Amino acid sequence: MSAVIPATLIAGDGIGPEIVDATLAALDALGAPFEWERQVAGLAGVQQAGDPLPAATLESIRRTRLALKGPLETPSGGGYRSSNVRLREEFQLYANLRPARTIIPGGRFDNIDLVVVRENLEGLYIGHEHYVPIDGDPHAVAMATGINTRQGSRRLLEFAFETAVATGRKKVTIVHKANIMKALTGIFLETGLELYERKYKGKFELDTVIIDACAMKLVLNPWQFDMLVTTNLFGDILSDLVAGLVGGLGMAPGANIGAGAAIFEAVHGSAPDIAGKGIANPTALLLAAALMLDHVQLPALATRLRKAIDDTLNIDKVRTGDLGGSAGTAAFTQALVSRIANG
């Protein structure tokens, strides 16, 4: 087995600890060589350390450069910013990788196998916003500034193109709004076209599409796409849309990749209404763990994990309530671990 790999583990809030426990059981059954540093963030961070992102958590990720995390709750009030956004900024996690693959057949859309690559640090998400007061109305005018840079666009596009080559994707589609937002998204489109011509032509097909047309085409004929690469806000929207094609966020993993760190996560919320009831579906975090295994160059373990998930859901028919089954988190985990052990 491979040498021990240090990694930060953040259980998260709500159902986070339950789905993290399920994921750890699967990774243990695989013999994955992670050595976990347990840390807190989100609401648990506020309760234990007075900060949604405690210094100890940030230091752990700086040290391990690798993290697996459950969903985080942003505390209401007090001016708290999203912990997820802060993590991206702190570690310059410029690429958000969101694959969507049909696992349970027979839904509205079948045989979906798409990847959305989203720029993670620029655009309107930089948060440069303010109000202009007029005639006693303090919120009379709302203004926001979006910034995309050539450097930021290029590194994200290069990540997407390299991922396409490494994983055998046949077509990459740049999604933009350069017909209207000529500068803000035009620079992204322009950079992608130039990079393709200079370095990647012939390695895959490149296409471009306007964001609104892309959304329409995804619900009419999603099979025409293979990989979508786009700016921050458009990627935020499209990645959830694409997740909807395969059953929702409970089936959608996420990876946030930067030069100095990588964080893998379930992108759904903390679901406090079902926390502690033992009915949460851990599939999204399990699939995120598979992405993490790919990232640390353990693709055979990642493949075993994905196959075990597929077989548990489709051969054994062990499914949680959100997938039409009756299994709780523990029963699903036990069935999955059994599949891994016997696979």
Side-chain angles (χ1 to χ4, degrees):
M1 179 49 69
S2 304
V4 167
I5 300 172
T8 303
L9 183 68
I10 301 170
D13 303 310
I15 61 171
E18 298 165 70
I19 63 174
V20 163
D21 284 348
T23 302
L24 291 181
L27 289 171
D28 286 346
L30 284 167
F34 297 116
E35 183 177 72
W36 301 106
E37 294 186 9
R38 290 181 175 266
Q39 301 291 340
V40 295
L43 190 59
V46 173
Q47 292 168 345
Q48 294 185 34
D51 189 337
L53 276 181
T57 302
L58 297 176
E59 180 54 37
S60 175
I61 298 172
R62 285 192 198 98
R63 185 167 53 250
T64 65
R65 304 177 62 176
L66 188 67
L68 179 70
K69 74 174 192 66
L72 303 179
E73 184 176 338
T74 300
S76 300
Y80 291 115
R81 292 182 67 219
S82 163
S83 296
N84 290 325
V85 173
R86 284 180 61 196
L87 280 170
R88 293 171 202 158
E89 293 174 349
E90 182 74 28
F91 296 102
Q92 289 295 290
L93 306 174
Y94 61 85
N96 181 228
L97 186 67
R98 289 281 296 273
R101 176 177 63 91
T102 301
I103 299 178
I104 299 176
R108 187 176 303 173
F109 297 94
D110 237 339
N111 299 313
I112 299 296
D113 184 5
L114 287 171
V115 176
V116 177
V117 182
R118 165 193 176 189
E119 200 288 319
N120 228 9
L121 296 174
E122 298 189 340
L124 290 165
Y125 267 69
I126 59 173
H128 286 181
E129 295 185 303
H130 67 276
Y131 291 105
V132 178
I134 298 176
D135 295 335
D137 180 355
H139 291 176
V141 178
M143 298 181 69
T145 300
I147 296 175
N148 287 326
T149 66
R150 178 82 70 193
Q151 179 187 19
S153 298
R154 185 182 291 117
R155 68 180 178 179
L156 183 278
L157 286 154
E158 192 147 24
F159 171 86
F161 291 174
E162 288 291 333
T163 301
V165 172
T167 56
R169 295 281 162 178
K170 300 293 188 283
K171 183 170 79 168
V172 178
T173 302
I174 299 174
V175 186
H176 65 93
K177 190 65 176 174
N179 58 325
I180 302 298
M181 302 166 75
K182 298 181 186 297
L184 188 63
T185 69
I187 192 173
F188 188 83
L189 174 62
E190 175 187 298
T191 303
L193 294 174
E194 183 276 330
L195 181 63
Y196 178 75
E197 289 293 325
R198 176 168 54 84
K199 192 173 177 182
Y200 294 95
K201 192 168 186 177
K203 296 183 179 181
F204 51 81
E205 178 188 349
L206 185 70
D207 191 17
T208 67
V209 65
I210 295 170
I211 176 64
D212 40 321
C214 181
M216 177 188 69
K217 291 179 177 184
L218 276 168
V219 296
L220 288 175
N221 176 20
W223 303 277
Q224 67 188 286
F225 296 112
D226 195 5
M227 173 184 281
L228 304 171
V229 57
T230 190
T231 51
N232 203 336
L233 179 60
F234 298 159
D236 183 38
I237 296 166
L238 288 184
S239 56
D240 278 15
L241 190 161
V242 168
L245 302 177
V246 299
L249 294 179
M251 308 297 283
N256 298 283
I257 312 292
I263 299 178
F264 300 84
E265 63 184 352
V267 296
H268 57 67
S270 60
D273 55 319
I274 63 168
K277 296 182 179 179
I279 60 175
N281 176 9
T283 300
L285 193 64
L286 287 160
L287 292 171
L291 289 175
M292 188 172 176
L293 289 165
D294 283 330
H295 179 76
V296 297
Q297 307 300 311
L298 294 172
L301 292 186
T303 298
R304 282 182 61 198
L305 179 53
R306 291 187 180 104
K307 184 177 187 304
I309 294 168
D310 288 7
D311 290 349
T312 301
L313 292 170
N314 294 310
I315 296 177
D316 304 331
K317 304 290 186 182
V318 179
R319 301 175 183 177
T320 49
D322 59 311
L323 301 178
S326 58
T329 312
F332 176 82
T333 304
Q334 185 176 10
L336 177 64
V337 166
S338 179
R339 268 285 167 187
I340 292 170
N342 299 321

